[in-house]
Amino acid sequence: MERFDAVIFDLDGTLFDSFDEAWRAITTAAERVPELRFIKNKRQFTALYSGNFYEQVCRHNRIPMRKSKALERRLCRTFVDDYNPEFIIPMKDVLKKLRHSHTLVVLSSNFNHVIKRLLRKARISAFFDAVSGADDDPSKAARIKTLLRKFRISSSRAVCITDTTGDIKECRAAGVRSIGVTWGFHTAKQLKRAGAIAIVRKPRQLLKVLHG
């Protein structure tokens, strides 16, 4: 595999083992955000990540995407300090080895204050050159383009590491390829079908894939 200059990491399900914690947070948030009450089970919850999370929620509620910012703000207020998924420990060694040869970015559907708190708690903040949450823009594709312009990196020289098919689609919309990881929300089969250029089943395998 060719070498990349930038590696864009998803947060939930990729750096952090967060499915159960995210499910708990969403069901709690639904008590205050009625637009989430259509999510009745984990299967429906997982399906939201087959596309852009906010776009999927807006579509279900027939809310125009131009009004998604208001929904995001209400969701953001519900993700308080008790959201604490476990960091996937072997990823620390991966980040240590990549940081000197790549621009590293966290790109998430979560919110900046949550992302930064979790990175600090896991003691991995220093490994990343930038963090971008949903409060910057609901579209991950748009945020990827902004980040690549900021670091003056071509989309062909960047790769996304993710556990969801929705991320793969958004990365492709930004001209960026994706590597799928199997310890998160979606299966290897789903990730491959969505267009992942490689599938990784253990964190340390990322180094082999990225370094050829």
Short mmCIF file of all heavy atoms in Angstrom, two decimals, residues 136-158:
data_model
loop_
_atom_site.label_atom_id
_atom_site.label_comp_id
_atom_site.label_asym_id
_atom_site.label_seq_id
_atom_site.Cartn_x
_atom_site.Cartn_y
_atom_site.Cartn_z
N ASP A 136 -18.20 21.76 14.68
CA ASP A 136 -17.54 22.53 13.61
C ASP A 136 -18.40 22.53 12.34
O ASP A 136 -18.52 23.56 11.67
CB ASP A 136 -16.17 21.92 13.28
CG ASP A 136 -15.17 22.06 14.41
OD1 ASP A 136 -15.32 23.00 15.21
OD2 ASP A 136 -14.26 21.22 14.49
N ASP A 137 -18.97 21.38 12.03
CA ASP A 137 -19.81 21.22 10.83
C ASP A 137 -20.42 19.83 10.92
O ASP A 137 -19.71 18.87 11.23
CB ASP A 137 -18.96 21.35 9.56
CG ASP A 137 -19.81 21.49 8.29
OD1 ASP A 137 -20.69 20.62 8.07
OD2 ASP A 137 -19.59 22.45 7.54
N PRO A 138 -21.72 19.67 10.64
CA PRO A 138 -22.30 18.33 10.71
C PRO A 138 -21.73 17.38 9.66
O PRO A 138 -21.75 16.17 9.83
CB PRO A 138 -23.80 18.57 10.48
CG PRO A 138 -23.89 19.91 9.82
CD PRO A 138 -22.74 20.69 10.35
N SER A 139 -21.21 17.92 8.57
CA SER A 139 -20.68 17.10 7.47
C SER A 139 -19.22 16.76 7.71
O SER A 139 -18.36 17.64 7.76
CB SER A 139 -20.82 17.85 6.14
OG SER A 139 -20.07 17.22 5.13
N LYS A 140 -18.92 15.47 7.83
CA LYS A 140 -17.53 15.06 7.96
C LYS A 140 -16.76 15.31 6.65
O LYS A 140 -15.58 15.66 6.68
CB LYS A 140 -17.43 13.58 8.33
CG LYS A 140 -17.73 13.30 9.79
CD LYS A 140 -17.41 11.85 10.15
CE LYS A 140 -17.58 11.61 11.65
NZ LYS A 140 -17.21 10.24 12.04
N ALA A 141 -17.43 15.14 5.52
CA ALA A 141 -16.78 15.39 4.24
C ALA A 141 -16.29 16.84 4.16
O ALA A 141 -15.15 17.09 3.72
CB ALA A 141 -17.74 15.09 3.09
N ALA A 142 -17.13 17.76 4.59
CA ALA A 142 -16.75 19.18 4.56
C ALA A 142 -15.58 19.44 5.50
O ALA A 142 -14.65 20.19 5.18
CB ALA A 142 -17.94 20.05 4.94
N ARG A 143 -15.62 18.82 6.68
CA ARG A 143 -14.53 19.03 7.65
C ARG A 143 -13.21 18.44 7.16
O ARG A 143 -12.14 19.00 7.39
CB ARG A 143 -14.91 18.43 9.00
CG ARG A 143 -15.90 19.29 9.77
CD ARG A 143 -16.14 18.75 11.15
NE ARG A 143 -17.18 17.75 11.19
CZ ARG A 143 -17.18 16.70 11.99
NH1 ARG A 143 -16.16 16.48 12.79
NH2 ARG A 143 -18.19 15.85 11.99
N ILE A 144 -13.29 17.29 6.48
CA ILE A 144 -12.07 16.69 5.93
C ILE A 144 -11.44 17.64 4.93
O ILE A 144 -10.22 17.89 4.95
CB ILE A 144 -12.39 15.34 5.26
CG1 ILE A 144 -12.73 14.29 6.33
CG2 ILE A 144 -11.19 14.86 4.43
CD1 ILE A 144 -13.29 13.00 5.76
N LYS A 145 -12.24 18.21 4.05
CA LYS A 145 -11.72 19.14 3.04
C LYS A 145 -11.06 20.35 3.71
O LYS A 145 -9.99 20.81 3.27
CB LYS A 145 -12.84 19.58 2.11
CG LYS A 145 -13.35 18.47 1.20
CD LYS A 145 -14.53 18.93 0.36
CE LYS A 145 -15.08 17.81 -0.51
NZ LYS A 145 -16.25 18.23 -1.31
N THR A 146 -11.69 20.85 4.78
CA THR A 146 -11.14 22.00 5.51
C THR A 146 -9.79 21.64 6.14
O THR A 146 -8.82 22.42 6.07
CB THR A 146 -12.12 22.46 6.60
OG1 THR A 146 -13.33 22.89 5.98
CG2 THR A 146 -11.54 23.60 7.42
N LEU A 147 -9.72 20.47 6.75
CA LEU A 147 -8.47 20.03 7.40
C LEU A 147 -7.35 19.82 6.39
O LEU A 147 -6.20 20.19 6.64
CB LEU A 147 -8.72 18.75 8.20
CG LEU A 147 -9.55 18.92 9.48
CD1 LEU A 147 -10.07 17.58 9.96
CD2 LEU A 147 -8.71 19.60 10.57
N LEU A 148 -7.68 19.24 5.27
CA LEU A 148 -6.65 19.00 4.25
C LEU A 148 -6.12 20.32 3.69
O LEU A 148 -4.92 20.46 3.43
CB LEU A 148 -7.20 18.13 3.13
CG LEU A 148 -7.55 16.68 3.52
CD1 LEU A 148 -8.13 15.92 2.33
CD2 LEU A 148 -6.33 15.95 4.07
N ARG A 149 -7.01 21.30 3.53
CA ARG A 149 -6.55 22.63 3.10
C ARG A 149 -5.64 23.24 4.15
O ARG A 149 -4.60 23.84 3.83
CB ARG A 149 -7.75 23.55 2.83
CG ARG A 149 -8.46 23.27 1.51
CD ARG A 149 -9.38 24.42 1.14
NE ARG A 149 -10.43 24.63 2.13
CZ ARG A 149 -11.63 24.06 2.10
NH1 ARG A 149 -11.92 23.22 1.12
NH2 ARG A 149 -12.53 24.31 3.03
N LYS A 150 -6.02 23.10 5.41
CA LYS A 150 -5.23 23.67 6.50
C LYS A 150 -3.81 23.12 6.51
O LYS A 150 -2.84 23.87 6.68
CB LYS A 150 -5.92 23.36 7.84
CG LYS A 150 -5.11 23.80 9.06
CD LYS A 150 -5.84 23.43 10.35
CE LYS A 150 -4.99 23.81 11.56
NZ LYS A 150 -5.67 23.46 12.84
N PHE A 151 -3.67 21.81 6.32
CA PHE A 151 -2.35 21.19 6.38
C PHE A 151 -1.70 21.05 5.00
O PHE A 151 -0.62 20.48 4.87
CB PHE A 151 -2.46 19.82 7.05
CG PHE A 151 -2.80 19.90 8.52
CD1 PHE A 151 -4.07 19.55 8.96
CD2 PHE A 151 -1.87 20.35 9.44
CE1 PHE A 151 -4.40 19.63 10.32
CE2 PHE A 151 -2.18 20.44 10.78
CZ PHE A 151 -3.45 20.08 11.23
N ARG A 152 -2.38 21.55 3.97
CA ARG A 152 -1.86 21.52 2.60
C ARG A 152 -1.49 20.09 2.18
O ARG A 152 -0.39 19.83 1.68
CB ARG A 152 -0.66 22.46 2.47
CG ARG A 152 -1.01 23.92 2.75
CD ARG A 152 0.16 24.83 2.59
NE ARG A 152 -0.20 26.22 2.85
CZ ARG A 152 0.64 27.25 2.76
NH1 ARG A 152 1.91 27.05 2.40
NH2 ARG A 152 0.23 28.49 3.04
N ILE A 153 -2.45 19.21 2.40
CA ILE A 153 -2.27 17.80 2.05
C ILE A 153 -3.32 17.41 1.02
O ILE A 153 -4.50 17.71 1.18
CB ILE A 153 -2.39 16.91 3.31
CG1 ILE A 153 -1.23 17.21 4.27
CG2 ILE A 153 -2.39 15.42 2.93
CD1 ILE A 153 -1.36 16.50 5.60
N SER A 154 -2.89 16.77 -0.03
CA SER A 154 -3.81 16.30 -1.07
C SER A 154 -4.69 15.18 -0.52
O SER A 154 -4.25 14.37 0.31
CB SER A 154 -3.01 15.78 -2.27
OG SER A 154 -3.81 15.04 -3.14
N SER A 155 -5.92 15.10 -1.01
CA SER A 155 -6.83 14.05 -0.55
C SER A 155 -6.28 12.66 -0.87
O SER A 155 -6.53 11.69 -0.15
CB SER A 155 -8.22 14.21 -1.18
OG SER A 155 -8.14 14.16 -2.59
N SER A 156 -5.50 12.55 -1.92
CA SER A 156 -4.92 11.25 -2.30
C SER A 156 -3.83 10.82 -1.34
O SER A 156 -3.42 9.65 -1.35
CB SER A 156 -4.37 11.31 -3.73
OG SER A 156 -3.29 12.22 -3.81
N ARG A 157 -3.35 11.76 -0.51
CA ARG A 157 -2.28 11.46 0.45
C ARG A 157 -2.81 11.34 1.87
O ARG A 157 -2.04 11.34 2.83
CB ARG A 157 -1.21 12.55 0.39
CG ARG A 157 -0.59 12.75 -0.98
CD ARG A 157 0.24 11.56 -1.40
NE ARG A 157 1.39 11.37 -0.53
CZ ARG A 157 2.19 10.31 -0.54
NH1 ARG A 157 1.92 9.32 -1.37
NH2 ARG A 157 3.22 10.23 0.28
N ALA A 158 -4.13 11.21 2.01
CA ALA A 158 -4.75 11.06 3.33
C ALA A 158 -5.55 9.77 3.37
O ALA A 158 -6.06 9.29 2.34
CB ALA A 158 -5.66 12.25 3.63
#
